[in-house]
Amino acid sequence: MLRARIPAKVWNRKTSHIRNGLFIYSKHTGLDSRRNCTTDTKPLSSSGKKTLTHSYVHGPSDIPFLGSTIGNMFQEQTENNPDDEACVFYSSGIRRTFAQFLKECDQLAASFLDLGINKGDRIGIWGPNSYEWLLAQYAGFRAGIISVNVNPAFRMAELEHVVNTVGMKAIVMAGPFRDTNYYNILHQLIPDLLTSTPGDIKSKKLPSLKTIISMETKKIAGTFSFQEVLQAGTTKGVQYIRDLQKELQFDDPINIQFTSGTTGKPKGATLSHFSILNNSHSVGFRLRYNEMKHRVCMPVPLYHCFGSVVGALTMITHGTCCIFPSPGFEAKTVLTVVENERCNSMYGVPTMFIDILSHPDFPKYDLTSLRTGVMAGSVCPISLMERVMRDMHMPHITICYGSTETSPVTFQSDYNDTAERKCSTVGQVSSHTEAKIVNLDGKLLPVNEPGELYTRGYTTMLGYWNEAQKTSEVIKSGGWYATGDIGVLDENGYCKITGRIKDMIIRGGENIYPSEIETLLYKHPKVKDVQVVGLPDPRMGEEVCASIQLKEGVECSEDEIKDYCVEHLAKFKRPRYVDFVNSHPMTVTGKIQKFKIKENLIAKLNLK
């Protein structure tokens, strides 16, 4: 595993410097000092007292960094609030206080070491939300074992790629869930699994994998059961885990989260204790978790950074109680949890909020305990935001933006921003983080001009595991992370994301942003979904193509779409090609794979 390297030179700021060619951040410790802070210091005033002229912004903060490992912060939070509820898995009937949760984490961590899973080894966690999932990850945090979040929707080829990329030594897997049987998928990769000795698996396809731990209650061939592993933790082993906390370092890698794979095979973004702990801390301050105890409804998946960092880690950084309604998203269960558990914060992607608001029983539930939360993952229409703020009693909900590679959040709206601002921008830059907008040559742009968004700070990953070349492609000179997103910064530091750099079409020297054409075509009464891509052209370089999925039961012609565009778009932006499809290729997480759309169209139209 290689850290992302940048040129060795002197670079001094209050919070950072370069040493031996590595981007290093000085840390400030002190859980007590953060409790005296009342709010996050915003980088710029929305009143316009301080405005930008160029697209660079730095998020200052009077909130000290947490110079701690996750395990040490977990222990400190437990010592301060042992009897407070830490987590609830509602549909399973599981509740744990901080003291109970820490005790079981250390017991499991001790058993991991007894199984030969040691500090620095990689352990996968594969399945939907469950107490066992959370317990396995936090046991890893305490033992210095690097947890690998495995998407529960992965199938055989994807799992094989992930296991071999990181050299996974062990995996904790769920029992069958919905249409996925995790054991059967592993059995396809390990033909001798049925006759294998637990802890001594031998596989040609997965040579590093030695141990499988099953969350199922019944014994399964070739695996250890989760409960037997948990119960095997000894008093001596637990004491060793407690003593180990003095040895672990906050810059150590501790979590690998795989990218969504929208542009190719998923890559393993490697994150440190310091990066994800402080990111959770920062997000919590913008939500004002420091002002009172919060009970957070968490229907988002733990395998994703939204659930595991922005969500679950606030237990440790802010003493919240995280309440997981069910293994997978169920709108009615979420409503029940908010009412019965009196949640005052809730997380979700826009489609979750849409499903909740449209549930036929929605009016029957009392959601008046809610006040804040996080919406992220995709663009939120203003009509939805207004309903969430009004009908779900969440006037202070915030929007978060970032990526797996940045721990994940680098921009967040303010607690009191308007619905319009929350929907038209991703807020302002996060604490202790820098951002800039640059042109194709990497030069800084004036405000209100679109370009690629770069970010820099403690949030940036250590690198893609075992992929130094891929790492160097996104971490640029000076430690800047190239997001690949097209952004615009206004005078007050609010950032608007308008698309992806790789999706931008250059036709005859003109830059065309697909999102503009897609936004227009979504308004066409017959269009259900549309994706715009650039296709190669010998004269113009690229031509615009609209790939359209029609609404059920309607018919539409290519000329009808082109005529609609003539009315609303400049000539150079109008699609030369219109293709009608039944669906668009997506990743297992539901993100559109535009590179596949482009490949399919090039082949279909016989273009070069």
Side-chain angles (χ1 to χ4, degrees), residues 6 161 304 323 373 490:
I6 61 174
H161 168 72
H304 194 278
I323 304 167
D490 71 13

Side-chain angles (χ1 to χ4, degrees), residues 9-28:
K9 61 182 180 180
V10 177
W11 190 83
N12 294 313
R13 287 188 187 275
K14 288 183 179 180
T15 58
S16 51
H17 61 282
I18 288 173
R19 180 184 300 151
N20 298 327
L22 292 175
F23 202 47
I24 308 293
Y25 283 78
S26 58
K27 287 87 177 175
H28 306 266

Side-chain angles (χ1 to χ4, degrees), residues 322-567:
C322 287
I323 304 167
F324 300 87
S326 51
F329 175 70
E330 298 170 359
K332 188 176 179 66
T333 308
V334 171
L335 289 164
T336 302
V337 163
V338 171
E339 179 176 88
N340 292 350
E341 298 290 332
R342 307 307 296 159
C343 298
N344 45 13
S345 179
M346 179 182 155
Y347 294 1
V349 298
T351 52
M352 289 180 175
F353 286 100
I354 290 169
D355 288 353
I356 290 165
L357 286 161
S358 61
H359 194 280
D361 292 335
F362 176 79
K364 300 177 183 178
Y365 287 89
D366 178 8
L367 310 182
T368 54
S369 59
L370 286 172
R371 69 181 190 123
T372 190
V374 175
M375 190 185 297
S378 61
V379 176
C380 174
I382 190 166
S383 58
L384 173 61
M385 179 59 74
E386 288 172 343
R387 283 206 65 194
V388 169
M389 294 172 73
R390 181 187 67 245
D391 299 344
M392 292 186 68
H393 307 280
M394 298 175 70
H396 303 300
I397 189 171
T398 71
I399 296 290
C400 284
Y401 162 85
S403 66
T404 309
E405 292 90 340
T406 56
S407 302
V409 177
T410 51
F411 277 82
Q412 186 177 0
S413 60
D414 185 61
Y415 191 78
N416 289 316
D417 279 340
T418 63
E420 191 279 331
R421 180 158 262 171
K422 288 174 182 177
C423 293
S424 62
T425 77
V426 292
Q428 294 179 307
V429 72
S430 300
S431 304
H432 302 294
T433 305
E434 298 171 276
K436 65 179 180 178
I437 307 291
V438 300
N439 64 17
L440 294 175
D441 296 322
K443 305 296 184 184
L444 188 68
L445 289 168
V447 293
N448 296 315
E449 286 197 21
E452 185 172 7
L453 173 63
Y454 279 28
T455 63
R456 178 167 68 180
Y458 76 91
T459 59
T460 304
M461 65 176 177
L462 301 175
Y464 294 125
W465 189 277
N466 206 27
E467 295 195 74
Q469 178 59 39
K470 294 288 186 184
T471 300
S472 67
E473 291 172 8
V474 297
I475 298 185
K476 307 294 186 178
S477 175
W480 287 99
Y481 170 70
T483 67
D485 286 331
I486 301 168
V488 180
L489 272 175
D490 71 13
E491 296 87 348
N492 292 310
Y494 282 88
C495 183
K496 183 176 184 178
I497 303 298
T498 61
R500 293 285 293 167
I501 285 288
K502 289 181 179 179
D503 296 338
M504 186 175 73
I505 302 164
I506 303 176
R507 180 187 180 277
E510 296 275 9
N511 291 347
I512 301 170
Y513 300 101
S515 60
E516 180 185 357
I517 305 169
E518 289 164 353
T519 299
L520 170 69
L521 289 175
Y522 271 122
K523 296 176 183 177
H524 191 287
K526 295 183 178 180
V527 173
K528 178 182 179 181
D529 185 32
V530 57
Q531 300 298 324
V532 172
V533 297
L535 299 180
D537 183 81
R539 179 170 173 266
M540 303 303 294
E542 286 184 294
E543 283 287 3
V544 178
C545 177
S547 178
I548 293 174
Q549 183 181 358
L550 296 173
K551 292 178 180 177
E552 193 171 347
V554 302
E555 293 182 359
C556 187
S557 68
E558 182 177 339
D559 286 342
E560 187 175 343
I561 296 297
K562 288 184 175 180
D563 290 344
Y564 183 76
C565 292
V566 167
E567 296 178 35

Side-chain angles (χ1 to χ4, degrees), residues 103-290:
K103 179 182 178 181
E104 291 189 331
C105 283
D106 284 356
Q107 206 173 333
L108 184 60
S111 291
F112 283 165
L113 297 185
D114 286 342
L115 289 173
I117 311 166
N118 299 309
K119 177 183 178 295
D121 286 338
R122 277 75 65 205
I123 184 169
I125 313 174
W126 191 28
N129 287 1
S130 68
Y131 179 60
E132 291 84 358
W133 200 109
L134 194 68
L135 192 58
Q137 183 169 60
Y138 279 73
F141 291 157
R142 291 284 284 177
I145 298 166
I146 301 170
S147 61
V148 183
N149 300 16
V150 183
N151 190 318
F154 276 176
R155 292 301 186 258
M156 187 171 66
E158 295 146 330
L159 180 68
E160 182 178 3
H161 168 72
V162 166
V163 171
N164 289 332
T165 296
V166 302
M168 194 182 292
K169 193 171 187 178
I171 190 166
V172 179
M173 66 164 197
F177 179 70
R178 293 180 178 168
D179 64 344
T180 302
N181 188 308
Y182 302 100
Y183 182 81
N184 285 352
I185 294 173
L186 276 166
H187 190 199
Q188 287 178 282
L189 291 166
I190 311 169
D192 296 332
L193 184 56
L194 291 174
T195 56
S196 295
T197 302
D200 190 28
I201 290 169
K202 294 178 175 64
S203 168
K204 290 182 179 179
K205 288 188 175 181
L206 308 176
S208 64
L209 189 65
K210 300 301 176 187
T211 300
I212 300 172
I213 300 170
S214 172
M215 298 181 199
E216 288 197 71
T217 53
K218 64 181 181 180
K219 183 69 176 175
I220 303 177
T223 75
F224 293 108
S225 78
F226 191 92
Q227 283 303 314
E228 73 174 315
V229 174
L230 176 60
Q231 297 304 320
T234 63
T235 302
K236 183 179 179 181
V238 167
Q239 186 57 52
Y240 178 82
I241 291 296
R242 290 174 181 168
D243 293 340
L244 182 63
Q245 303 315 301
K246 301 169 187 175
E247 306 300 321
L248 302 178
Q249 300 298 304
F250 52 59
D251 283 328
D252 290 342
I254 197 61
N255 186 213
I256 299 174
Q257 301 195 15
F258 275 81
T259 59
S260 59
T262 53
T263 57
K265 285 188 176 181
K267 299 177 289 292
T270 308
L271 308 171
S272 68
H273 292 266
F274 189 78
S275 64
I276 59 176
L277 189 70
N278 281 284
N279 203 250
S280 167
H281 191 224
S282 172
V283 169
F285 262 97
R286 288 237 176 141
L287 293 166
R288 302 196 182 177
Y289 283 176
N290 56 304

